[in-house]
Amino acid sequence: MNRSFLLFLAVFLGLATLLPAAEPMTFEELSLMLRTGSSPQEILNDVTRRKLLQPLNSTEQEALREHGAPPALLNALQSSTLFASVEEAAAYRAHHQPARQIVAASPADPGNGVRGTPPRLQPVLLSDRFMGGIEAAKDVPEQPVRITDAYSLDHLAEAKAQAQLERKVMGFVQMAPTMLDKPVTTRSTGASAALLHFCHAFKDSMVLVFVPSDTKQGLLPPAVVAGLAAKEMNGILPNMAVVDATAMTLVLPVPSAGNNKATGEDRDKIFVAAAAIMQRWLSYHPMAIGVTEARQAAR
């Protein structure tokens, strides 16, 4: 077991159970959902659950119409019952107020503080995103990993769009082609078993992208390069760099274990600890977007 990594994880453990909550939906999210193929009923269901941040103006309605919104959906979105309360809208704006003079912090530091002041981000209540997948992965029957089980780097734009739409972090899984197409279980030792374990533990809770081990660093976002090069990885494949939905902010590196003899039980411990960090990070960044864009805006 990688002791330095477990020590790194332990700093962020001891979290309280988090309850479900959701932020109001913005015009930008409505537009993205239409452009990425969500049905009108799916959109209306999401808006009904979360409410609209504010009424749509005529320009926004026309933009949604151009993106394929049918008249029935646009009419439904004008109902005052779908608008967030004044308190909810104020809380959203306060939480997403652009930061000023943001300074660099460690990747897993959720607050990313402001010079001379305490971190201004406050956690929101979120239901657990990860433990269901980690538990389900324990019982996956023997099967191979296919190259189509995750996005390729050639489809990185689509992967980012999905992550932003679904408010998920992204997992860039470094692997070798020799790990593919071999029937294994998540309880076994070896690289192929570890790759299968990564895929099934996190396939629903994040957006996965395969990174072949011979990929040139220049083809990867800098946050991903930093994660895959982290000392916690110990040079063992597969491993995973977890980044935000824009692939610009590193959340944490996740190794498969300290050596190729690790079992599924060994990986379970690492995945559970990593899930706690990711859950905490999301509670401070519920849109699954880190602080890099805010830092650039403040320049």
Side-chain angles (χ1 to χ4, degrees), residues 59-73:
T59 301
E60 291 170 338
Q61 291 181 56
E62 181 59 31
L64 294 180
R65 186 178 293 109
E66 292 178 357
H67 291 315
L73 176 61

Side-chain angles (χ1 to χ4, degrees), residues 2-13 232 277:
N2 190 323
R3 292 184 179 180
S4 62
F5 178 71
L6 290 179
L7 180 61
F8 169 71
L9 295 178
V11 175
F12 299 95
L13 299 182
E232 291 85 6
I277 294 178

Side-chain angles (χ1 to χ4, degrees), residues 1-74:
M1 186 67 63
N2 190 323
R3 292 184 179 180
S4 62
F5 178 71
L6 290 179
L7 180 61
F8 169 71
L9 295 178
V11 175
F12 299 95
L13 299 182
L15 306 176
T17 301
L18 300 174
L19 301 175
E23 292 187 321
M25 182 177 289
T26 64
F27 160 74
E28 289 77 14
E29 291 178 82
L30 285 173
S31 177
L32 180 60
M33 291 183 76
L34 284 167
R35 287 181 281 122
T36 53
S38 295
S39 70
Q41 188 60 56
E42 289 173 330
I43 295 172
L44 187 58
N45 289 345
D46 208 9
V47 174
T48 301
R49 178 176 62 86
R50 295 174 50 203
K51 308 302 182 184
L52 280 174
L53 179 62
Q54 60 190 21
L56 299 172
N57 60 39
S58 58
T59 301
E60 291 170 338
Q61 291 181 56
E62 181 59 31
L64 294 180
R65 186 178 293 109
E66 292 178 357
H67 291 315
L73 176 61
L74 293 174

Side-chain angles (χ1 to χ4, degrees), residues 17 54 76 97 113 131 147 182 191 200 215 218 226 260 278 289:
T17 301
Q54 60 190 21
Q97 181 180 356
M131 288 308 301
I147 192 63
K182 296 179 179 179
H200 280 272
T215 300
N260 283 324
M278 291 187 285
I289 296 177

Side-chain angles (χ1 to χ4, degrees), residues 121-196:
L121 292 181
Q122 296 297 320
V124 298
L125 300 175
L126 296 174
S127 58
D128 181 81
R129 300 277 186 91
F130 302 99
M131 288 308 301
I134 291 172
E135 286 298 316
K138 296 177 181 179
D139 299 320
V140 171
E142 183 178 82
Q143 60 187 272
V145 177
R146 306 295 188 191
I147 192 63
T148 54
D149 287 342
Y151 281 101
S152 69
L153 290 172
D154 291 337
H155 295 89
L156 183 54
E158 292 93 329
K160 290 181 183 178
Q162 181 184 341
Q164 292 171 41
L165 175 64
E166 298 178 358
R167 298 180 186 81
K168 292 179 178 178
V169 292
M170 302 179 70
F172 284 74
V173 183
Q174 189 175 37
M175 39 71 74
T178 55
M179 301 175 190
L180 300 171
D181 305 319
K182 296 179 179 179
V184 288
T185 73
T186 62
R187 304 294 87 193
S188 305
T189 61
S192 294
L195 182 60
L196 181 72

Side-chain angles (χ1 to χ4, degrees), residues 208-225:
L208 299 179
V209 180
F210 281 154
V211 180
S213 55
D214 60 354
T215 300
K216 295 181 179 179
Q217 289 189 354
L219 299 177
L220 298 171
V224 176
V225 173

